Amino acid sequence: DFGLMTHDPGFNNTSSCRSSITYIDGDAGILRYRGYPIEQLADSSSYLETAYLILNGELPTKPQLDAWVHEITHRTMVHENIKKLMDGFHFDAHPMGMLISTLSAMSTFYPQAKNIKDPAMRRLQIARLIAKVPTISAYAYRKRMGLPYVYPDNSLSYTGNFLKMMFQRADPYIPDPIMEKALDVLFVLHADHEQNCGTNAMRSVGSSNVDPYSAMAGAAAALYGPLHGGANEQVLRMLQEIGSASNVADYIRRVKNREVLLMGFGHRVYKNYDPRAAIVKQLAYDVFEVVGRNPMIDIALELEKIALEDDYFVSRKLYPNVDFYTGIIYQAMKFPVDMFPVLFAIPRTVGWLAQWDEMHNDKETSIARPRQIYTGYDARDFVPVEKRG
Ligand code: SDX
């Protein structure tokens, strides 16, 4: 009974919490940020405008939006020592591992962020993180590739700057407007998603009143898991393993034998088609117009077709989730597969921080302390080692 939870001293950070940010109806396949349908935001908004909405509860006026965009696009630099820290990673370190570690390290660069009861201090750290996570993410890629870091370019859009920091080589890099827009739509779709595993980690770790950099390292670590935000990387590896549409039937057989999972399918909440997946699937074709068709889409479409007609999946209400098609787009945009979870973490930064901020605004918040059902021994007496069997 949800009502009982409100009297739980650990309420708001145990197994349930109150939030006014994101609404999901898993059976109907509905997703809204602050009441606005995801389809309308993906179609008409931008990531930074949607981030403002998620954080503040209302869409910004033009002056508010201009000020917000200026603030974020002018906080993109990171301390030079962050680069020295990232230089220390192993040459083939996974970019998500680098991001998680660097987020945690950032808590030492902003010690004043410990003052989490001051809303203005929280808001300053929120702006810093939204602005700097793309810079650190691009640095992780450049480090992997043995390429020099590219400084942020404040004259570009949020996604245009990220693309430039990622892909600039010897020649000047001008972001393709269709790439910029496609990535912006993908970022809108990933911005928040209620109390998922990563956000729960953010709230749980954050409920100890630790700084947001340390809490976000925990959230990003949860997202790294292959059952969560790491799934988009696993989907691509699954499609590469299948190799061609003609091999799909055999892979489905292996799934039904429980030898493997159909990555990118299923969801704890959606027992219908994930509305984000439908938008991503359509977006793929816009991207292919610019970069050419990714043949992996043929395998994915065949997988979806067979699964949605097979009672094993239908009876378990397994549908494509947000991760099923994103990897195909990212690969077409020339992102390496191990950057895919990082591409999930960048936009989810605002969701994690909005939920963290909401938690600290809620007077009933207390430290997370989930209850357990004890299944161990009853009391028993100690036995000295010489008397043990
Ligand atoms: C994200 O929570 C969020 O909001 C997350 C997210 C977000 O925006 O933050 O939406 C992002 O994490 C999307 C999910 C990405 N993960 C994957 O695509 C990995 C593959 N999916 C599964 O691991 C699974 O579907 C989960 C973890 C996503 C959900 O698991 P549930 O809800 O706990 O479902 P379950 O394990 O209870 O499964 C129910 C049945 C089981 O069969 P039975 O034992 O009852 O016979 O469905 C089966 C499962 O074996 N099943 C699958 C399957 N997912 C569930 N069988 C094959 N392939 C799958 N992918």
Side-chain angles (χ1 to χ4, degrees):
D1 171 355
F2 191 78
L4 287 178
M5 294 301 289
T6 56
H7 306 299
D8 172 346
F11 180 67
N12 221 14
N13 282 302
T14 52
S15 56
S16 304
C17 72
R18 279 189 297 265
S19 178
S20 60
I21 298 172
T22 293
Y23 172 76
I24 299 174
D25 178 335
D27 293 326
I30 291 172
L31 169 58
R32 301 187 197 122
Y33 297 153
R34 302 287 191 178
Y36 294 96
I38 191 68
E39 294 82 1
Q40 294 181 24
L41 292 170
D43 187 50
S44 310
S45 186
S46 69
Y47 174 69
L48 285 184
E49 183 180 62
T50 297
Y52 183 101
L53 167 69
I54 288 172
L55 284 165
N56 299 292
E58 299 296 340
L59 286 167
T61 60
K62 182 74 171 65
Q64 287 170 332
L65 181 58
D66 291 347
W68 171 244
V69 170
H70 184 273
E71 178 177 14
I72 296 300
T73 52
H74 287 75
R75 285 191 181 282
T76 50
M77 293 283 280
V78 295
H79 193 290
E80 282 292 294
N81 285 1
I82 291 278
K83 292 178 5 186
K84 292 179 187 150
L85 179 132
M86 296 188 79
D87 282 340
F89 287 115
H90 198 254
F91 76 94
D92 61 354
H94 194 291
M96 198 61 178
M98 288 193 253
L99 175 61
I100 293 163
S101 315
T102 307
L103 280 171
S104 178
M106 284 179 77
S107 66
T108 66
F109 286 79
Y110 301 104
Q112 74 274 26
K114 287 186 173 65
N115 183 14
I116 54 97
K117 286 305 171 195
D118 174 355
M121 183 57 75
R122 294 204 303 268
R123 200 202 156 286
L124 172 58
Q125 312 315 322
I126 288 171
R128 279 174 169 157
L129 275 159
I130 292 172
K132 298 176 192 310
V133 164
T135 306
I136 295 164
S137 301
Y139 282 6
Y141 169 75
R142 304 288 290 196
K143 156 73 187 175
R144 286 272 275 122
M145 302 298 284
L147 291 167
Y149 299 120
V150 175
Y151 280 106
D153 179 341
N154 295 343
S155 68
L156 296 175
S157 71
Y158 191 75
T159 50
N161 175 42
F162 175 62
L163 289 168
K164 178 176 180 182
M165 291 190 291
M166 283 284 299
F167 296 126
Q168 176 167 305
R169 294 295 190 272
D171 299 330
Y173 179 89
I174 314 289
D176 179 298
I178 294 179
M179 292 294 111
E180 271 185 279
K181 176 61 182 163
L183 198 54
D184 203 72
V185 171
L186 286 161
F187 280 11
V188 168
L189 295 175
H190 286 83
D192 189 51
H193 211 241
E194 205 220 62
Q195 303 312 314
N196 58 82
C197 183
T199 301
N200 183 267
M202 184 78 189
R203 281 180 171 261
S204 181
V205 175
S207 72
S208 70
N209 287 358
V210 75
D211 67 273
Y213 300 92
S214 304
M216 219 172 100
L223 188 72
Y224 192 10
L227 294 187
H228 190 17
N232 55 12
E233 176 179 353
Q234 300 309 320
V235 169
L236 232 294
R237 296 190 193 287
M238 171 184 74
L239 296 175
Q240 288 166 338
E241 180 193 340
I242 293 171
S244 80
S246 60
N247 298 334
V248 162
D250 183 58
Y251 191 84
I252 293 284
R253 180 189 56 75
R254 292 176 58 206
V255 172
K256 292 163 75 170
N257 281 346
R258 296 169 181 275
E259 296 167 32
V260 290
L261 285 175
L262 183 49
M263 299 310 280
F265 258 68
H267 199 278
R268 177 59 58 81
V269 177
Y270 289 123
K271 300 309 174 189
N272 198 323
Y273 210 104
D274 182 334
R276 301 167 297 175
I279 298 168
V280 175
K281 183 177 175 182
Q282 185 47 50
L283 187 66
Y285 294 97
D286 300 339
V287 173
F288 293 165
E289 287 289 311
V290 179
V291 297
R293 181 184 176 86
N294 183 344
M296 291 290 164
I297 188 92
D298 299 320
I299 304 172
L301 290 170
E302 182 68 7
L303 265 174
E304 178 183 346
K305 178 175 169 295
I306 293 181
L308 296 190
E309 291 167 357
D310 186 310
D311 186 55
Y312 181 90
F313 300 92
V314 175
S315 63
R316 290 169 175 80
K317 298 188 177 181
L318 300 178
Y319 294 89
N321 61 51
V322 68
D323 290 305
F324 190 60
Y325 286 104
T326 47
I328 293 167
I329 296 183
Y330 291 144
Q331 187 180 51
M333 295 173 80
K334 302 289 183 285
F335 289 105
V337 176
D338 57 11
M339 275 295 285
F340 292 2
V342 174
L343 291 165
F344 198 142
I346 295 172
R348 187 52 61 88
T349 295
V350 70
W352 289 332
L353 291 167
Q355 301 250 1
W356 168 78
D357 192 47
E358 180 182 61
M359 174 182 73
H360 283 301
N361 281 328
D362 184 334
K363 299 287 171 278
E364 290 202 32
T365 289
S366 60
I367 189 167
R369 186 56 177 86
R371 299 304 163 79
Q372 71 167 16
I373 295 168
Y374 178 68
T375 58
Y377 288 102
D378 284 339
R380 52 181 176 160
D381 296 325
F382 181 78
V383 177
V385 65
E386 55 277 1
K387 291 188 175 170
R388 292 174 208 157

